[in-house]
Amino acid sequence: MRYSLLFVCGALLLAAAPSAVARDLVGRGSIVDGDTLDLHDKRIRLWGIDAPESAQLCRGRDRKPYRCGALAANTLDAFTRGKTIRCMPVDGDRYGRVVARCAAGGVDLGQFMVSRGLALEEPQYSHGHYAADQVAARRAGRGVWSGRFVEPSLYRSCMHAAGTRSVCSEGATGWR
């Protein structure tokens, strides 16, 4: 009886193990924006980062506006194109998206975006995982750090308050 119970428990544990592995999402993805992608009919938000919104404008070193949100999305798309993406779910968010750490070609996509200045670290979620990458990008003046920008969360808040793309991008809510 004792061995039968152990055998049943062991069999149940082994049966459960593949489902934990199956939770990883692997395949070719479709980029939605600088911190979101679709993979296997699931919308995935990259863990620990926040990229400018697709329509968001920033100002470059030359002080001219440019589409920093589109640049972030296009850069992520170009980097992942033709590569297998592996996402390890961490959590879910209030919009029903899977929050995951994803990699393409062995490169952490969150780190890729933050190190190029195309996304900001969200330390309340990443617990400083990308802090060094953000400091390096800022010091080197890469991406949004080359000029001025409004943090993506502030841009979204402004837009939800019936702001316009130009007003919300121009620092009505605070420049960085």
Side-chain angles (χ1 to χ4, degrees):
M1 174 78 171
R2 185 177 190 179
Y3 292 107
S4 297
L5 186 57
L6 286 173
F7 177 77
V8 170
C9 289
L12 288 173
L13 286 173
L14 286 175
S19 66
V21 173
R23 289 186 53 190
D24 285 2
L25 301 166
V26 180
R28 300 289 166 103
S30 173
I31 302 305
V32 175
D33 62 24
D35 56 24
T36 310
L37 59 106
D38 288 336
L39 185 62
H40 296 301
D41 297 325
K42 297 224 184 286
R43 178 83 22 123
I44 299 171
R45 175 78 153 76
L46 294 176
W47 172 83
I49 70 168
D50 194 12
E53 295 300 308
S54 294
Q56 188 172 343
L57 301 172
C58 296
R59 290 201 178 259
R61 200 170 269 112
D62 60 3
R63 298 182 187 239
K64 292 181 182 175
Y66 72 98
R67 296 182 57 206
C68 54
L71 177 62
N74 291 339
T75 302
L76 185 58
D77 182 60
F79 181 74
T80 59
R81 190 174 302 127
K83 293 180 181 160
T84 298
I85 299 172
R86 174 178 296 275
C87 294
M88 296 174 293
V90 174
D91 204 352
D93 70 10
R94 63 183 174 188
Y95 303 108
R97 298 177 295 192
V98 173
V99 177
R101 293 187 69 176
C102 300
V107 176
D108 179 316
L109 297 181
Q111 183 176 28
F112 174 82
M113 295 300 286
V114 171
S115 68
R116 282 157 182 74
L118 299 173
L120 304 179
E121 178 190 36
E122 289 187 302
Q124 69 272 30
Y125 301 112
S126 68
H127 309 290
H129 189 78
Y130 301 123
D133 299 295
Q134 183 159 295
V135 167
R138 187 175 190 168
R139 285 186 179 151
R142 290 191 289 264
V144 297
W145 301 107
S146 70
R148 301 197 64 173
F149 66 96
V150 172
E151 288 187 30
S153 61
L154 296 175
Y155 175 84
R156 284 190 299 275
S157 293
C158 178
M159 292 299 288
H160 289 305
T164 64
R165 179 175 95 160
S166 60
V167 167
C168 295
S169 293
E170 287 297 325
T173 55
W175 282 105
R176 277 284 225 149

